[in-house]
Amino acid sequence: MAEKWTERISAFFRSPCKFISSTSADTFLSELLSELRDDKVTYTTKVLLLSPLCEHPSLLCSSQSVGEETLVELLSIFVQCPPKCLQFRNHLLITLTSVFICTSCVSKEVHLCEDFQDLLLQLVQDTSDLHSDLLLGATACECLRELEACCPGLLSHRLELIGGLWSKESSRLHQAYAGLHTLVLRNCLYQLARDPTSGDDHLQTLLGLNAFTCKEADQEVVEIKKDSSIFSSLIRAHMDTVAILQTGQDCKDLRSVLSSNLENCFLFTPLYQAMVLHRLMEVVAIVPAIPPSIFRSQLLRLLGTSEVCLLHSTLLMKCAYTDSLFSTDDEAFLLRRLVVLSQHPLLRKPQKLFFMDYILHFPENRPIGCGDGTENIPVLLTPHLGSTLAPTVLNDDASMLARFNLLALIYQEEAEKDGGEESKGMLYLYQHLISLFHIVEKGCSREIVVTFFRAVYLFLVYFCPVEKYSHRIADQLCKLYRRQAHLVPHILNLADQAADVFPECRWAARLCTALRETIMETQASGFTLQDLTWHLKVLARVAEEDQIPQRSTLNLLSNMIMAPSSSLCTSSDWRLGNAVLGVCRRLMTHSSLSSLFMPLANILQHLACCYGDADIEDHARLYYTLLTTLCKDKMSAIVAQDVREQGQQMKQRSLSCIMADSERLTVHHTDEAVFQLVEVQNQTHLEGCDVVSKETENRSGLEAYRDQFNDACFGSQLVLYYHLSHTPFSNQPCFDKVFSICLHFSFRDEHYEELSDFNVPCLFRGSPPPVVKLILKPRLPIPTTLCASAVFSTSNGLTWSTSLPDIHMVLQQMLVPLPVPTAWPSEDKVSVFESLWDEISAEKHADDASSLFCCQMQSREVEALVEKHFLPFVISRRTDQAQVNLLFFIPPQFHVLLKLISEEDAVHFNIATDNWRLLPHVRSFLSTFTSNL
C-alpha cells in the first residue's frame, strides 16, 4: 500500500493538473482523507499523504465549502493522533495552515478558524520541558505567524496573551513568541492608525486589556491586504505614505514594550533579529511619538556585526532615519566598516559584492544626489579610503569588476575636480587593464576574456573623453585582434556598446578604422580561410559607419575575391560567401555609394559568375540587378536594415522577405471564431458492427452476443456527424469562400483516443454545409469537452487559423442500441437483457453497480417519454405490470440497463450498469428528460 501511494504521489507532483484530469480532485481528496483516517496506515506514509494537500491545497479544494469540510476532517485527525507521533502532528499543523490560507477560510467570521486558533494557542501555551512539546509549540507559533501575516488583524484580540507568553518564556520558543508578538503589534497599531477616532485610550486598551476588538474587522483586513506594500516602503524613507497614529507625547506603555523587544533581541538568531528590527521600524513609523533614538542602544552592537542581515537592517535604519539616529561619526564608521568588510578574506564572494554594492548606494545623512537609485559615491569615501579596494589580477572576475567600477567612480570625480586632467588613480586603472591585456594576449579561459572586455567597457564609460587613454586602448585591441582573430565578436560588441552609450566620442568609428588598417597590414602575408571569416565580420561592421570612407574596404574585398591567389571562390563555402554578401549589402546602403558603384558592381558580378555555390551566385545576381537597375532610394528600401522604434535592436531583412510576399508566408490568426460544428441529430452509430459471422447468426443468448467482441474492433468506435458552418457573428466578406480547411481536434482529458485531423475541401456561405465525420474511440465513455481549431485558405491566397467553439459531448450522444445481428428475434434480445441484469445484480465484477431513480410521472407521460426518446432502446414491454425494459450500449463494451416500472403517480427507473462510473451521468441524463415533461 505504501509503495502504491509513493508512486501515485510522485505522479501527482510530476504534473498535478494532468494527474487531476485523469481522475478528479474530489476523488483524490477523498482517497487521501480516507487513508489518513485509517489506523492501519503507518504515520510515515501519512506524512507522505499530507504533501499534496500542503503543496497544492487550492487545486484539491476547489471551493471554500470543500476547504471547510477538509479542514474539519484534518482537525479531527489531529485530535485523535497520539502525542508521540510528533513528525506527523507537525506536518498536519502546517497542512492545516496551508489549507486555511489557500481556501480563504482565514477570517474572524469563520468559526472553524477560531477553533484552529484556540488549538494553536493551546499548543503554544504548553510550557512543559519535553522536547516534543517544544517542537510542536514552535510549529504552532510559526503557523499563527503565517495566519497573521496573510490576514493582518486576525490575532488582534490575542495580543495581551501572546505578549504574556513571550515575557514569561525562557526556552527556545522565546524567539518565536517575539516574532509573533511584534507582527501582531504592528498590525494592531496600523488598524488603529487607520481609524481617525483612535487615540491614547485605544492604545492603552490595546496594550493593557484583553478586550480589544477591531471595528469592521473584515473590512479592515481587506484594506490592510491592499496596502501591504506600505510597510515595504519604509526602507526607502517614504514615511509620509504610512498611516499615522495620533497619540500623546509619552506613550510609556508602548515604549516599554518596544524597549523590552530590543533588549531581548540579542538572544535571537541573526535572521530573526533582522525581522524583529524591521517590524519595530514600522511601529516607530506608525507612532511618531516614539523617537528613532529608541534604537540607539542597539547601534553599537549592530555597527560591529559581521552578519549580513543585521548590517542590512542597520543600513535600512540609516535610510529611514538618517541624522535623527546616526551622527556624522556613526556614518563615517559605518562607511569604513563597509570598506573593510568588502575585502575581508574570511567572507565569501557574495557577501563582499553585497557590501560593495551598498557602498555605491550608501544612504547618506546629507545626500547630494537625487536619490533615484543610480550608483554614486558617498561624500565621505575619499580616494585614500577607496584605494584599499584597488583591483588586482588575483581577484575573482566579479570582485575585480566591482572594485574596478567603484574606483572608476572615485577617480572620475577626482578628475572632474582637477579639470579633466590625468590622475594617478586613472593611470592605475589603465595599468590594470594592460595587465589583463597581457594575460588575454597569451591565451586564457573565456571567463578572463569576458572580464577583460567588461573592464575595458567600464573604463571607457568613465574616461572615454580622455583621448590619451582611449586611443591607447584602441591600439591595444588592434594588437590583440592581430594575434587572436577569434576575439572579433567581443571587440565588435564593445564597439557597438560604445557607439550606443557615448556616441559623441566617436571612439567606435576610430576603432573600426584601426581594425581595417590591421587587416590591410596582414594582407601581404595572405589570409587563411579561418581568419577570413573574422576579417569579413570586421569589414561588415566598418561598412555600417557612414563617416568612414569605404574605398579601402572595397579594395580589400576585391583582393580577397578576385586576386589570382585567392581561394575564396573555389572553396564554395556557403558561410564565407554569405559573409562577403553581408559586406556588399551594407555597402549598397552607404551614403557614398555613388563613388563605390563600379568596384562594387564588379565584385557582385564576379561572385555571380565564379562562386562555387549556386545559392551565393543567385544572391549576388539579385544584388547586382538591384544595384544596376534601381535608384538609390528604392534599393535602400529593399536592402537597408529596418530600425525599430527608439533605438531597439535592428532587424535585418532576409532574402526570403525580399523575393517573396511575406504576407503569403504568414499564418494569420482570427480575433473570433469563424466556423462552428453543429451536431446532426439522430445520426450516431457504431463503427465496425455491420459484418457478422454466420456462426454468430446461428447462435443466440448472452454467450453468442459476447462472442462478437472477440474482434477487438467490434463496437469500439463511435461515429458522430456534425455540420461545419459559419458562425453567426463571422460577417467578414473575406471568409465567405474558404478552401482547404484542416480541422484539428483535442480532448481536455485522457478518456478518449486522439482524433485524426479532418479535411474539408471548401465552405461557401449560403451553400449546404459539409458533413464532418468524427470517429471516437472511448477509453471511459463519460461526458467530455472537445476543442477544435482550423487552418484554412481564403480566395486572396492568405492562410488563416481560427479556434472553433468548444464541443460539449454529453452521455446521450454515446448511447446506441444493442449491437446484435439484424436476424436475431426479439426473444434473444430479451434473453441478453435478462442475463445481463442477473449478472450485474449479483455484482460478479467489481465495476457492476445498481441504482434507483424515481420521479413523479403519469403512465401516459411514461409512454410519451419512451416513444419520443427511448424507442430504439426498448427490449420488451410488460403491459400487465406497466414495465418497460431498456438497454443502452456504450462503447467500447459497457451497458446501461433500465427497468421502467410505473406506480400510481410515479415511475421507478431501476438502473443496472457494468461500469459504476457511469451512474452519476445516467442520473443526470434521466433528470434532463423527466424534468421537461
Side-chain angles (χ1 to χ4, degrees):
M1 180 62 71
E3 294 179 356
K4 171 189 172 183
W5 276 108
T6 301
E7 294 176 359
R8 291 193 68 188
I9 291 177
S10 298
F12 173 82
F13 280 112
R14 279 196 297 271
S15 179
C17 294
K18 183 178 179 180
F19 181 88
I20 291 301
S21 66
S22 63
T23 170
S24 68
D26 294 339
T27 302
F28 185 56
L29 178 61
S30 62
E31 291 175 354
L32 288 176
L33 295 176
S34 176
E35 291 294 313
L36 288 170
R37 289 190 299 266
D38 192 351
D39 295 335
K40 297 180 181 179
V41 180
T42 63
Y43 283 100
T44 304
T45 304
K46 289 184 177 182
V47 170
L48 179 66
L49 295 173
L50 287 175
S51 55
L53 261 176
C54 185
E55 298 294 334
H56 300 276
S58 56
L59 182 64
L60 297 180
C61 303
S62 55
S63 63
Q64 185 174 350
S65 59
V66 176
E68 291 181 358
E69 295 172 0
T70 304
L71 290 169
V72 171
E73 292 285 344
L74 294 177
L75 283 172
S76 65
I77 292 171
F78 183 87
V79 172
Q80 297 171 7
C81 179
K84 64 179 181 179
C85 303
L86 177 63
Q87 184 183 15
F88 176 67
R89 300 186 83 195
N90 275 320
H91 281 80
L92 192 53
L93 287 180
I94 296 171
T95 303
L96 278 163
T97 305
S98 180
V99 175
F100 262 106
I101 293 172
C102 295
T103 57
S104 302
C105 293
V106 183
S107 173
K108 294 182 179 180
E109 300 298 325
V110 179
H111 181 70
L112 197 61
C113 184
E114 289 286 336
D115 294 341
F116 185 53
Q117 293 178 54
D118 294 337
L119 173 63
L120 293 175
L121 289 170
Q122 180 182 353
L123 295 173
V124 166
Q125 294 177 71
D126 190 352
T127 57
S128 63
D129 294 332
L130 294 176
H131 177 70
S132 58
D133 293 337
L134 288 176
L135 291 178
L136 194 63
T139 302
C141 200
E142 291 300 319
C143 292
L144 285 170
R145 190 162 65 89
E146 192 70 23
L147 291 173
E148 175 66 20
C150 295
C151 186
L154 184 70
L155 300 174
S156 57
H157 57 294
R158 315 273 190 162
L159 180 62
E160 185 189 10
L161 173 62
I162 296 171
L165 292 173
W166 167 61
S167 61
K168 298 176 184 177
E169 185 61 42
S170 59
S171 67
R172 285 179 295 175
L173 290 180
H174 180 269
Q175 175 175 273
Y177 288 155
L180 177 61
H181 180 263
T182 53
L183 177 63
V184 177
L185 177 63
R186 191 280 307 268
N187 292 340
C188 291
L189 291 174
Y190 186 74
Q191 287 181 345
L192 283 179
R194 294 184 63 85
D195 186 357
T197 63
S198 299
D200 290 331
D201 295 338
H202 295 84
L203 180 60
Q204 292 176 4
T205 303
L206 170 65
L207 299 174
L209 299 176
N210 192 17
F212 174 72
T213 56
C214 275
K215 304 174 183 178
E216 301 177 357
D218 288 341
Q219 181 180 358
E220 290 292 338
V221 166
V222 173
E223 291 180 352
I224 291 178
K225 284 183 178 179
K226 291 180 180 179
D227 294 344
S228 59
S229 61
I230 290 294
F231 298 121
S232 63
S233 68
L234 293 178
I235 63 174
R236 300 180 180 88
H238 295 167
M239 298 292 189
D240 54 336
T241 61
V242 181
I244 301 300
L245 178 60
Q246 301 298 332
T247 61
Q249 296 299 318
D250 195 359
C251 293
K252 289 183 179 179
D253 295 334
L254 181 58
R255 189 194 297 263
S256 175
V257 172
L258 299 184
S259 299
S260 180
N261 273 277
L262 289 171
E263 289 172 1
N264 292 279
C265 194
F266 73 96
L267 298 173
F268 308 154
T269 61
L271 192 61
Y272 235 88
Q273 288 185 55
M275 183 194 70
V276 171
L277 287 172
H278 191 78
R279 299 291 182 219
L280 296 180
M281 287 172 59
E282 294 167 350
V283 170
V284 172
I286 296 172
V287 187
I290 304 295
S293 58
I294 195 172
F295 297 103
R296 189 70 191 175
S297 61
Q298 302 296 318
L299 277 190
L300 182 61
R301 179 175 62 86
L302 294 176
L303 290 175
T305 184
S306 60
E307 296 289 344
V308 175
C309 56
L310 290 180
L311 192 57
H312 179 65
S313 297
T314 307
L315 290 164
L316 290 181
M317 286 185 191
K318 192 172 190 319
C319 180
Y321 306 125
T322 62
D323 57 352
S324 60
L325 180 60
F326 291 82
S327 64
T328 305
D329 293 337
D330 295 334
E331 184 177 44
F333 176 81
L334 186 54
L335 185 58
R336 289 195 300 271
R337 181 89 175 135
L338 289 174
V339 172
V340 171
L341 291 174
S342 60
Q343 54 186 322
H344 199 285
L346 296 181
L347 295 180
R348 292 177 286 114
K349 182 175 71 173
Q351 294 172 316
K352 296 179 183 179
L353 294 176
F354 172 81
F355 293 130
M356 277 188 278
D357 189 69
Y358 244 122
I359 294 174
L360 294 174
H361 302 87
F362 187 73
E364 299 182 84
N365 286 353
R366 296 287 186 269
I368 298 177
C370 58
D372 57 355
T374 58
E375 294 180 349
N376 201 1
I377 296 298
V379 175
L380 298 177
L381 185 61
T382 61
H384 176 72
L385 179 60
S387 62
T388 59
L389 293 172
T392 67
V393 294
L394 299 178
N395 297 131
D396 61 89
D397 52 352
S399 299
M400 182 191 299
L401 290 173
R403 291 186 175 199
F404 194 96
N405 182 45
L406 184 62
L407 261 69
L409 276 169
I410 295 174
Y411 296 139
Q412 181 194 37
E413 185 176 345
E414 183 184 14
E416 290 175 355
K417 292 179 181 178
D418 297 338
E421 297 294 330
E422 177 186 349
S423 63
K424 292 182 180 180
M426 194 185 307
L427 177 61
Y428 174 82
L429 292 179
Y430 176 74
Q431 290 175 347
H432 178 70
L433 286 182
I434 296 302
S435 300
L436 290 176
F437 166 78
H438 290 311
I439 296 175
V440 174
E441 187 180 25
K442 294 178 182 179
C444 58
S445 63
R446 180 182 179 277
E447 289 75 13
I448 298 179
V449 172
V450 172
T451 302
F452 166 70
F453 280 98
R454 287 178 175 174
V456 172
Y457 172 74
L458 288 173
F459 188 90
L460 292 173
V461 166
Y462 296 114
F463 307 116
C464 189
V466 184
E467 296 184 356
K468 174 182 176 180
Y469 291 118
S470 61
H471 290 177
R472 288 181 182 179
I473 289 176
D475 295 338
Q476 294 294 336
L477 291 175
C478 291
K479 182 180 177 181
L480 185 62
Y481 169 63
R482 189 180 296 110
R483 295 192 176 187
Q484 300 188 44
H486 65 277
L487 296 179
V488 163
H490 296 286
I491 298 174
L492 296 184
N493 180 53
L494 180 62
D496 293 337
Q497 296 299 322
D500 292 339
V501 176
F502 37 90
E504 66 280 354
C505 295
R506 299 193 68 251
W507 182 84
R510 187 188 184 284
L511 174 62
C512 291
T513 304
L515 291 173
R516 187 178 64 180
E517 293 174 356
T518 303
I519 297 174
M520 294 173 65
E521 292 174 2
T522 58
Q523 180 182 2
S525 59
F527 299 130
T528 64
L529 290 180
Q530 185 177 4
D531 290 342
L532 191 57
T533 303
W534 305 120
H535 296 333
L536 290 172
K537 288 183 178 294
V538 172
L539 294 179
R541 179 62 181 85
V542 173
E544 295 179 7
E545 297 288 341
D546 280 340
Q547 298 85 0
I548 302 178
Q550 301 296 325
R551 176 65 65 174
S552 299
T553 302
L554 274 175
N555 292 337
L556 274 170
L557 201 59
S558 178
N559 292 333
M560 292 177 184
I561 299 171
M562 305 172 66
S565 59
S566 174
S567 60
L568 192 148
C569 289
T570 57
S571 67
S572 304
D573 191 320
W574 182 86
R575 295 180 184 274
L576 280 175
N578 199 41
V580 173
L581 289 175
V583 180
C584 296
R585 183 168 59 248
R586 287 168 175 81
L587 290 173
M588 291 169 69
T589 61
H590 199 271
S591 58
S592 60
L593 178 62
S594 56
S595 62
L596 309 173
F597 181 82
M598 287 304 297
L600 182 57
N602 292 335
I603 291 173
L604 289 173
Q605 188 178 34
H606 183 79
L607 289 174
C609 299
C610 303
Y611 203 84
D613 185 87
D615 185 57
I616 300 301
E617 289 180 348
D618 291 341
H619 280 70
R621 192 174 296 111
L622 171 65
Y623 289 159
Y624 180 81
T625 304
L626 295 174
L627 180 65
T628 56
T629 57
L630 297 179
C631 66
K632 182 180 178 181
D633 294 338
K634 290 184 178 180
M635 183 181 61
S636 298
I638 297 175
V639 181
Q641 295 177 334
D642 296 328
V643 182
R644 295 182 179 179
E645 294 182 0
Q646 298 181 357
Q648 293 181 355
Q649 183 179 4
M650 293 185 296
K651 180 180 180 182
Q652 184 176 346
R653 299 187 65 183
S654 62
L655 184 64
S656 61
C657 297
I658 298 173
M659 301 183 67
D661 186 0
S662 61
E663 284 289 320
R664 300 179 185 274
L665 301 178
T666 304
V667 177
H668 304 273
H669 301 276
T670 61
D671 296 331
E672 54 188 15
V674 177
F675 312 124
Q676 63 181 356
L677 289 171
V678 181
E679 183 186 4
V680 181
Q681 298 295 332
N682 301 323
Q683 292 294 325
T684 304
H685 73 273
L686 283 175
E687 186 84 0
C689 294
D690 300 331
V691 179
V692 182
S693 64
K694 293 182 179 180
E695 180 183 355
T696 303
E697 288 181 352
N698 297 328
R699 300 172 62 186
S700 62
L702 182 61
E703 182 181 355
Y705 168 69
R706 285 180 170 165
D707 285 344
Q708 301 176 105
F709 294 95
N710 292 332
D711 182 3
C713 296
F714 181 82
S716 62
Q717 295 180 347
L718 189 68
V719 181
L720 302 178
Y721 294 93
Y722 290 86
H723 280 142
L724 179 66
S725 61
H726 288 84
T727 57
F729 45 84
S730 62
N731 52 9
Q732 300 185 38
C734 62
F735 299 140
D736 289 347
K737 294 184 178 181
V738 296
F739 306 90
S740 302
I741 307 168
C742 179
L743 296 171
H744 177 74
F745 303 94
S746 62
F747 289 99
R748 288 189 176 176
D749 50 45
E750 298 181 351
H751 301 315
Y752 293 80
E753 300 284 351
E754 293 184 1
L755 278 175
S756 303
D757 293 348
F758 192 88
N759 296 307
V760 178
C762 60
L763 176 63
F764 299 158
R765 193 186 298 273
S767 299
V771 176
V772 177
K773 177 182 177 182
L774 300 184
I775 302 178
L776 306 183
K777 192 169 183 179
R779 298 190 185 103
L780 178 62
I782 62 176
T784 185
T785 300
L786 182 63
C787 303
S789 60
V791 178
F792 60 94
S793 300
T794 52
S795 55
N796 57 2
L798 300 182
T799 302
W800 293 81
S801 69
T802 186
S803 296
L804 279 68
D806 291 344
I807 303 171
H808 301 287
M809 305 182 65
V810 296
L811 183 66
Q812 183 181 356
Q813 295 175 274
M814 306 170 199
L815 303 177
V816 293
L818 185 68
V820 295
T822 55
W824 272 33
S826 58
E827 293 80 4
D828 292 341
K829 297 180 181 180
V830 172
S831 175
V832 171
F833 179 89
E834 296 294 342
S835 299
L836 283 174
W837 185 275
D838 295 340
E839 185 177 286
I840 294 173
S841 300
E843 295 186 0
K844 294 183 178 180
H845 303 93
D847 290 340
D848 294 342
S850 302
S851 183
L852 176 64
F853 178 83
C854 301
C855 64
Q856 291 185 346
M857 189 181 298
Q858 301 294 333
S859 58
R860 54 182 178 80
E861 293 177 334
V862 175
E863 290 296 328
L865 176 65
V866 172
E867 292 294 330
K868 185 176 181 180
H869 298 291
F870 299 147
L871 191 58
F873 308 100
V874 174
I875 298 298
S876 63
R877 298 175 185 245
R878 300 181 63 177
T879 56
D880 57 335
Q881 297 181 4
Q883 176 178 329
V884 181
N885 296 335
L886 307 176
L887 195 154
F888 303 92
F889 177 79
I890 308 176
Q893 195 177 345
F894 301 117
H895 306 82
V896 174
L897 288 72
L898 296 181
K899 287 185 178 181
L900 278 69
I901 302 175
S902 299
E903 301 295 342
E904 295 181 358
D905 291 329
V907 60
H908 294 177
F909 290 81
N910 294 282
I911 307 170
T913 179
D914 48 12
N915 190 335
W916 61 269
R917 300 172 186 82
L918 298 174
L919 279 179
H921 308 291
V922 172
R923 296 178 65 86
S924 177
F925 163 69
L926 294 175
S927 300
T928 302
F929 289 112
T930 56
S931 61
N932 294 331
L933 294 174

